[in-house]
Amino acid sequence: MNIILLGPPGVGKGTQAVIISKEFNLYSISTGDILRESIKNNDELGKKVKNYVENGALVPDNLIIMLINQAMNANISFNGFLFDGFPRTVQQAKGLDVIFTERENQVDTVLAINADNEIIMERLLSRRICPGCGMVYNLITNPPRNGEKCDICGLELTIRKDDNRETILHRLEVYRKRTAPLLIYYKEKLIKVNGAESVSDVADNIIENLVRYSNARR
Ligand code: AP5
């Protein structure tokens, strides 16, 4: 089963990707995480994409398609793929179609998670990340136990460079213009999910939908 998690920045795609990939044994590919790792390592890709990522602009489609191809080729033993933050343009969606056609496979379903911009703004401004293990916290909805330190590593939590009000507004605008058209591109495969609910309610809703979907395919 191959699934796309589609939705605006901060709606909870990464949070749900962790839960859903475990539940269905899917290999989760987050283009944002791959890009940030390269920036952290200051490798060739990282140098190319740093300005785009930190300013909330989209990285060029050809680079992203190359990354996706590499990640898929290296992880073929799973039950399928869960794409978090990809595709983000119609061009990327067409690129993914080509990849799947070559593999005689397909995108099965697209989970469109949504929430109001006010909720998104609050979530992103209160998101904190452990620089060691990558654990994602939220000062309001999922706070660490001890101040702003990671429960697992004890390291001081950090704020993502693109999680400031101005860049968040820009990311939301980029989503509206460049990514939201995918809701039409994938209209036959779309399952709408209310991302404003609690993490566990959103996850339950997604799991229920995916179980129903895979039973119907049998
Ligand atoms: P990316 O890393 O994909 O960022 P994003 O789409 O902006 O999404 P986020 O990671 O910010 O949010 P999320 O939806 O995963 O929310 P999360 O679960 O963390 O991309 C970053 C950049 O990389 C892009 O701007 C671009 O430059 C580049 N890029 C990436 N992919 C690209 C592509 N395909 N093409 C071109 N460029 C690309 O949750 C947010 C917070 O809310 C957390 O604190 C969490 O704990 C909390 N939370 C989550 N769910 C809930 C809930 N239900 N209730 C309460 N709190 C919740």
Side-chain angles (χ1 to χ4, degrees):
M1 184 158 59
N2 299 302
I3 299 169
I4 291 171
L5 282 179
L6 184 63
V11 78
K13 302 182 296 295
T15 303
Q16 295 301 327
V18 174
I19 302 169
I20 307 305
S21 56
K22 269 197 202 125
E23 184 74 26
F24 294 93
N25 188 31
L26 302 174
Y27 185 76
S28 176
I29 303 178
S30 158
T31 39
D33 284 349
I34 298 173
L35 296 168
R36 277 185 295 277
E37 187 62 24
S38 280
I39 293 170
K40 193 168 136 192
N41 297 336
N42 200 25
D43 61 21
E44 211 177 308
L45 174 69
K47 285 177 192 152
K48 275 191 199 152
V49 301
K50 189 174 192 294
N51 278 339
Y52 294 102
V53 174
E54 292 181 355
N55 294 310
L58 292 186
V59 170
D61 292 333
N62 58 335
L63 271 180
I64 296 290
I65 297 286
M66 185 198 71
L67 290 181
I68 288 291
N69 237 324
Q70 282 172 355
M72 288 174 75
N73 286 337
N75 297 284
I76 48 173
S77 63
F78 287 75
N79 283 347
F81 295 99
L82 178 65
F83 299 97
D84 161 13
F86 170 86
R88 257 175 152 94
T89 63
V90 170
Q91 210 49 41
Q92 291 180 16
K94 288 183 176 165
L96 184 62
D97 286 344
V98 171
I99 294 173
F100 272 131
T101 304
E102 282 166 0
R103 292 162 184 252
E104 297 181 359
N105 207 331
Q106 61 169 357
V107 170
D108 289 294
T109 185
V110 178
L111 297 163
I113 313 180
N114 207 1
D116 290 345
N117 285 359
E118 296 74 42
I119 294 179
I120 284 172
M121 182 61 82
E122 186 182 77
R123 283 187 189 168
L124 289 180
L125 290 176
S126 49
R127 174 164 61 184
R128 297 291 183 273
I129 295 171
C130 173
C133 66
M135 185 76 177
V136 178
Y137 295 88
N138 190 284
L139 295 182
I140 300 167
T141 58
N142 178 27
R145 285 193 296 269
N146 179 16
E148 290 204 20
K149 294 207 166 93
C150 179
D151 293 347
I152 301 160
C153 314
L155 291 175
E156 199 69 43
L157 301 178
T158 55
I159 301 176
R160 248 169 67 171
K161 285 237 167 68
D162 55 348
D163 278 352
N164 60 76
R165 190 171 293 277
E166 194 191 343
T167 311
I168 295 167
L169 288 173
H170 181 59
R171 287 158 65 198
L172 285 167
E173 186 58 11
V174 170
Y175 174 80
R176 194 181 64 78
K177 282 198 182 137
R178 308 278 313 275
T179 309
L182 291 176
L183 296 168
I184 296 172
Y185 187 85
Y186 287 122
K187 65 178 185 303
E188 312 288 341
K189 301 186 173 189
L190 216 59
I191 296 175
K192 290 189 180 168
V193 178
N194 178 7
E197 294 175 344
S198 70
V199 170
S200 59
D201 283 352
V202 176
D204 288 349
N205 184 0
I206 291 177
I207 291 167
E208 206 176 290
N209 270 294
L210 292 181
V211 169
R212 200 178 309 133
Y213 172 82
S214 61
N215 286 342
R217 272 203 327 174
R218 286 202 185 126

